[in-house]
Amino acid sequence: MASTKIRCSSSDSVGITSGGGGTLTEFMAKGRASVGDDLTILFAHLQQACKRISSVVASPSIAADLAGLTSSGGGSTGRDVPKPLDLVSNDIILSSLKNSGKVAVVASEEDDAPVWMTDDGPFVVVTDPLDGSRNIDASIPTGTIFGVYNRLVELDHLPAEEKALLNSLQTGARLVAAGYVLYSSATILCASFGSGTHAFTLDRSTGEFFLTHRDIKIPSRGQIYSVNDARYFDWPEGLRRYIDTVRQGKGRFPKKYSARYICSLVADFHRTLIYGGVVMNPRDHLRLVYEANPLSFLVEQAGGKGSDGKCRILSIQPVELHQRLPLFLGSLEDMEELESYEDIQQKINPGYDV
């Protein structure tokens, strides 16, 4: 079989010169991922949504127009106020999922409550439509995160609002698929259907996601840690000792670690998945349902580990839709060494104004 080659041009297109890798739809439809027609259709609509979001975040004219729509009056303030691009991305995702006809419930980080779409939809989707959107003006990579569950048919007799919430609060261990899309120099969709983690790169000349990273295996060790070092003096003693140890090359792996931090979760996670190491936020900051669970599913399927510093992420039962927690993701041996320091969760959270 001919090898798959990728070429990148100045127009930010990715051309696949050989069809050896196949498209994401082909990968699913041919049974390589052991998924059925319903999930294949759902992912076809997710792909379309993410292609549209990719175009929106890459267009200076669209971004400039939307930037002028920020609220100038009353309403919410602070770092968690939805930006216009968040809202546009959310609308795109919800519209595509509704059109698929395969989704019963969508729970989005941008909405206060989950949305019940159709009674006979087999799936529940949780999503962060545009992670890292406050970095758009600096052209820093952004991303979309999503997870897919089966609808809990035993809840069908409940009122719509109640069953929508309970369907959305499933543990990560029940995920049937998860993924993220990285919007950067290339647009990459990384997904798992419970049998490995695979990445597909958007070929802008055909509009298709082609398989470019089959069965990703995160290295058992990396040499990179990704965290906001500016918060060092707020960290607990255990986390500070771990960072001091590995960057001096005095840990279990006798090489000095380097810091790499983009402040875009999808981008930091993608680099960690490919090169190994750990990506973390020790504060109660990241969302269990929309961010921690899908990314932990992906890293576990690649041979790594996701933890809140004490417990496996996928074993945690969500009790609130927007529940936050510390998050540590990465190479198995790095994660085991990090957790051995025990005191790594930052429980004192001073306000950080940006």
Side-chain angles (χ1 to χ4, degrees):
M1 180 180 294
S3 60
T4 301
K5 298 180 180 179
I6 304 174
R7 65 175 186 272
C8 296
S9 72
S10 59
S11 63
D12 193 29
S13 67
V14 176
I16 307 299
T17 59
S18 160
T23 68
L24 172 55
T25 301
E26 290 170 345
F27 181 85
M28 298 179 68
K30 290 180 180 179
R32 299 177 197 173
S34 299
V35 303
D37 291 343
D38 287 341
L39 193 57
T40 301
I41 292 170
L42 171 58
F43 262 74
H45 284 78
L46 275 171
Q47 288 182 67
Q48 290 302 317
C50 292
K51 291 174 197 174
R52 290 182 62 195
I53 294 172
S54 177
S55 296
V56 168
V57 300
S59 171
S61 60
I62 294 176
D65 290 343
L66 291 172
L69 298 178
T70 53
S71 174
S72 59
S76 301
T77 59
R79 63 187 290 128
D80 284 335
V81 175
K83 305 297 191 298
L85 285 175
D86 294 272
L87 300 179
V88 170
S89 299
N90 192 48
D91 289 345
I92 291 172
I93 291 279
L94 265 63
S95 176
S96 292
L97 294 178
K98 184 177 179 64
N99 289 339
S100 76
K102 301 299 179 182
V103 180
V105 185
V106 179
S108 168
E109 184 181 339
E110 299 304 326
D111 296 323
D112 292 335
V115 177
W116 188 266
M117 287 193 164
T118 179
D119 289 343
D120 58 356
F123 299 117
V124 176
V125 177
V126 297
T127 182
D128 180 353
L130 192 61
D131 171 75
S133 61
R134 63 193 179 94
N135 294 320
I136 286 282
D137 289 345
S139 296
I140 291 175
T142 54
T144 295
I145 305 172
F146 58 87
V148 182
Y149 297 92
N150 288 318
R151 185 183 94 244
L152 299 174
V153 295
E154 62 268 28
L155 303 179
D156 285 351
H157 66 285
L158 297 174
E161 183 177 336
E162 185 177 358
K163 64 184 177 182
L165 178 59
L166 293 176
N167 269 284
S168 304
L169 295 180
Q170 299 184 57
T171 65
R174 299 178 67 102
L175 281 162
V176 297
Y180 64 80
V181 181
L182 174 66
Y183 309 114
S184 184
S185 55
T187 297
I188 298 174
L189 191 158
C190 185
S192 177
F193 308 97
S195 56
T197 297
H198 315 276
F200 304 79
T201 302
L202 179 63
D203 182 340
R204 298 186 189 278
S205 67
T206 64
E208 295 283 358
F209 282 98
F210 282 88
L211 178 63
T212 51
H213 303 71
R214 184 192 298 274
D215 199 18
I216 295 170
K217 298 297 183 186
I218 186 171
S220 60
R221 280 279 183 186
Q223 267 186 269
I224 296 172
Y225 69 91
S226 181
V227 66
N228 188 351
D229 265 336
R231 311 305 182 199
Y232 175 90
F233 294 103
D234 296 325
W235 293 343
E237 190 269 341
L239 182 56
R240 281 187 279 121
R241 279 197 298 114
Y242 169 76
I243 296 296
D244 290 343
T245 299
V246 298
R247 65 186 177 189
Q248 293 179 73
K250 296 180 179 180
R252 297 177 186 174
F253 187 51
K255 291 189 177 181
K256 294 181 180 180
Y257 280 46
S258 298
R260 297 286 187 275
Y261 182 61
I262 302 172
C263 194
S264 175
L265 178 59
V266 170
D268 281 315
F269 177 76
H270 181 73
R271 183 198 56 247
T272 302
L273 191 64
I274 300 300
Y275 296 133
V278 291
V279 56
M280 67 188 94
N281 190 322
R283 298 186 290 137
D284 288 323
H285 179 69
L286 297 173
R287 279 80 167 182
L288 171 60
V289 172
Y290 315 108
E291 297 168 321
N293 273 336
L295 297 184
S296 293
F297 184 81
L298 289 164
V299 79
E300 283 198 9
Q301 288 293 320
K305 187 174 184 180
S307 169
D308 71 347
K310 293 183 179 180
C311 301
R312 178 189 180 221
I313 291 293
L314 298 185
S315 69
I316 299 174
Q317 174 62 56
V319 294
E320 297 177 3
L321 193 61
H322 300 285
Q323 181 175 339
R324 297 173 185 256
L325 80 175
L327 181 59
F328 304 84
L329 302 159
S331 298
L332 186 59
E333 292 181 20
D334 284 316
M335 286 291 296
E336 289 174 348
E337 182 174 0
L338 171 60
E339 287 182 312
S340 72
Y341 284 76
E342 296 183 349
D343 184 20
I344 60 175
Q345 294 179 327
Q346 182 184 336
K347 291 304 183 183
I348 299 175
N349 295 333
Y352 299 140
D353 294 328
V354 176

